[in-house]
Amino acid sequence: MQHLPFLSAFSGIGGLDLGLERAGFLGVGAIESDATARDSLATNRPDVRLLEPHEINEVARNLTPRDLGLSERELVLLAAGPPCQPFSKAAQWSSHGGRGMADDRASCLNGLVELVERFLPHALLIENVPGFVQGGRSALPFLKARLGDVNRRSGTRYRLHCRTLNAVDFGVPQRRKRAFILALRDGADFAWPLATHIGCPVRAWDALMGLRLTCPPIARGRFAGLLASVPEGKNYQHFTERGEGPSLFGYRRRYWSFLLKLAKAEPSWTLSASPGPATGPFHWESRPLAPEEMLRLQSFPSAWKVVGLHRDRVRQVGNATPPLVAEVLGRSIASQLFDADFRVEPLTLTIRRAAHVPPPTPPQSVAAPFMAMAGSHAAHPGAGQGPQGRQANR
């Protein structure tokens, strides 16, 4: 099959790029503002062309198809994973997050649309959190308006197609819902790929069973000693009046990932880019996940590396697009735009299910210092009441 040129924006450590390349696309350039992520990308793909300046709004002012060895309208795909913090549900708990297009970090979408108008690619693909396309802070009105301007000036017919996909449905060993936007230059419809792993997900054990760590991370913080008492697949709610353990916390008084632990026989919960000391998912060995383990749970090849300090490595992996999902989407785009035929070719990034998964590790008894917390703890009073983060409508 011919190689289909694509330009990558907000490339991170290359999850979206890797999957697209496995689907027959050829990267002609990558735009990434984070220096550590650029180092990681270059470590794994030494031939990658990292475009300068690294900020997309600056790149968009001058970059032309000729700079990338392309003729006008030759670029097949512009693929982008913009910063998710302005649209993230988790960011509602932050005083400077979840503001949608009012967030300064969302201004990078201006540069993205400018690149669309400059290159007029056959397709535009965007990956982000579900809040990017849902609710009052959605980026959809902005994108529809700006692409409408492009259509009027260029005679194109870009039309947005949106779908929220769960990575676990496509063989990624992680429950991870992300929104995808696709716009085709000719205004054509797009058939989203069908889920392949409903009822038979790839599990955490399948991804991690072959990894051997020389120095596994150590749990730290006030509640580190409680992790060993959390059953596999459970979180702090095990220690509430509605759980099976002693009542140490009020029901729904903590965030979902508080003391959240993986289960060998289930997919991972969504990985976080900036976990606190008590933020999971934690390994069933009652410790934080190593970046190498996070990479596998994201469906990266075992040889993929990330560089930097530990927190930087965790952030990079947590922000990445699962490359297996990108490979699936890339095949759908290539087959519908150029009649590429993948019917007899297995996906290259698939993680196979093991024939046997060991039983859960039995939880330990709660240590005495934590038993001092046992007692009656009020449950959260309900949605919109009680302790809560900053509201999006303020």
Side-chain angles (χ1 to χ4, degrees):
M1 188 184 79
Q2 62 174 323
H3 286 291
L4 310 172
F6 81 98
L7 174 61
S8 166
F10 316 103
S11 306
I13 62 172
L16 195 56
D17 302 38
L18 173 62
L20 291 172
E21 290 173 0
R22 294 295 183 92
F25 287 82
L26 175 66
V28 295
I31 305 168
E32 175 51 55
S33 62
D34 184 84
T36 308
R38 290 198 302 272
D39 289 343
S40 292
L41 191 57
T43 296
N44 297 285
R45 311 306 295 271
D47 296 332
V48 67
R49 183 177 179 182
L50 291 165
L51 301 180
E52 297 182 12
H54 303 298
E55 294 289 344
I56 190 170
N57 288 344
E58 296 181 33
V59 173
R61 294 190 185 103
N62 300 302
L63 187 68
T64 67
R66 179 176 295 181
D67 295 330
L68 301 181
L70 302 173
S71 58
E72 291 185 7
R73 301 194 179 209
E74 185 181 358
L75 186 70
V76 170
L77 178 66
L78 174 57
C84 66
Q85 291 85 353
F87 311 96
S88 172
K89 182 178 180 181
Q92 304 300 330
W93 294 87
S94 168
S95 61
H96 57 275
R99 300 175 58 226
M101 292 304 302
D103 192 310
D104 290 340
R105 290 169 292 188
S107 65
C108 60
L109 294 179
N110 288 298
L112 181 63
V113 175
E114 288 179 23
L115 286 174
V116 172
E117 186 158 17
R118 186 73 56 81
F119 283 83
L120 298 177
H122 287 269
L124 168 66
L125 175 66
I126 301 176
E127 181 261 8
N128 213 293
V129 293
F132 192 81
V133 300
Q134 299 171 358
R137 300 298 184 185
S138 166
L140 284 183
F142 168 85
L143 290 172
K144 287 179 179 178
R146 290 295 306 275
L147 288 176
D149 294 338
V150 172
N151 288 338
R152 285 188 289 274
R153 288 191 289 261
S154 304
T156 52
R157 292 187 291 168
Y158 288 109
R159 180 164 57 97
L160 300 180
H161 303 279
C162 305
R163 183 68 59 91
T164 296
L165 303 177
N166 194 334
V168 74
D169 294 338
F170 298 91
V172 177
Q174 180 190 173
R175 297 182 180 98
R176 186 182 186 91
K177 290 183 178 181
R178 289 296 183 267
F180 290 88
I181 296 176
L182 189 80
L184 300 179
R185 188 174 64 195
D186 61 3
D189 291 331
F190 179 71
W192 293 93
L194 299 177
T196 54
H197 284 68
I198 300 294
C200 56
V202 177
R203 302 151 299 191
W205 175 260
D206 302 323
L208 304 183
M209 61 179 178
L211 285 180
R212 298 293 181 266
L213 303 179
T214 56
C215 188
I218 298 173
R220 304 183 186 280
R222 176 184 175 188
F223 297 104
L226 191 54
L227 273 173
S229 303
V230 180
E232 290 189 17
K234 303 291 185 179
N235 63 358
Y236 81 98
Q237 292 188 19
H238 176 72
F239 303 113
T240 68
E241 292 183 351
R242 302 192 191 188
E244 297 178 353
S247 179
L248 309 181
F249 306 100
Y251 178 70
R252 298 191 67 183
R253 285 284 183 175
R254 302 275 179 154
Y255 47 92
W256 170 254
S257 55
F258 181 63
L259 301 180
L260 181 62
K261 186 181 286 188
L262 294 182
K264 300 184 192 77
E266 295 290 336
S268 170
W269 306 101
T270 303
L271 300 179
S272 172
S274 54
T279 305
F282 291 93
H283 197 281
W284 53 79
E285 293 177 351
S286 302
R287 58 168 176 79
L289 290 164
E292 296 88 345
E293 294 169 323
M294 295 176 64
L295 282 167
R296 289 302 289 148
L297 293 172
Q298 286 274 54
S299 73
F300 280 88
S302 56
W304 211 262
K305 307 293 183 185
V306 283
V307 303
L309 300 174
H310 178 79
R311 64 176 178 272
D312 294 325
R313 297 168 70 203
V314 168
R315 172 179 54 81
Q316 293 172 76
V317 183
N319 281 329
T321 302
L324 177 54
V325 175
E327 184 180 7
V328 171
L329 282 169
R331 287 188 172 200
S332 289
I333 295 169
S335 62
Q336 293 178 59
L337 283 180
F338 299 99
D339 296 322
D341 188 355
F342 297 100
R343 285 176 294 181
V344 298
E345 299 179 24
L347 291 161
T348 68
L349 294 166
T350 296
I351 297 174
R352 297 185 180 278
R353 285 170 54 96
H356 171 72
V357 177
T361 302
Q364 297 180 10
S365 299
V366 176
F370 296 106
M371 286 303 299
M373 300 166 50
S376 179
H377 299 273
H380 192 282
Q385 305 178 61
Q388 55 189 323
R390 183 183 60 79
Q391 296 300 301
N393 58 5
R394 285 185 183 175

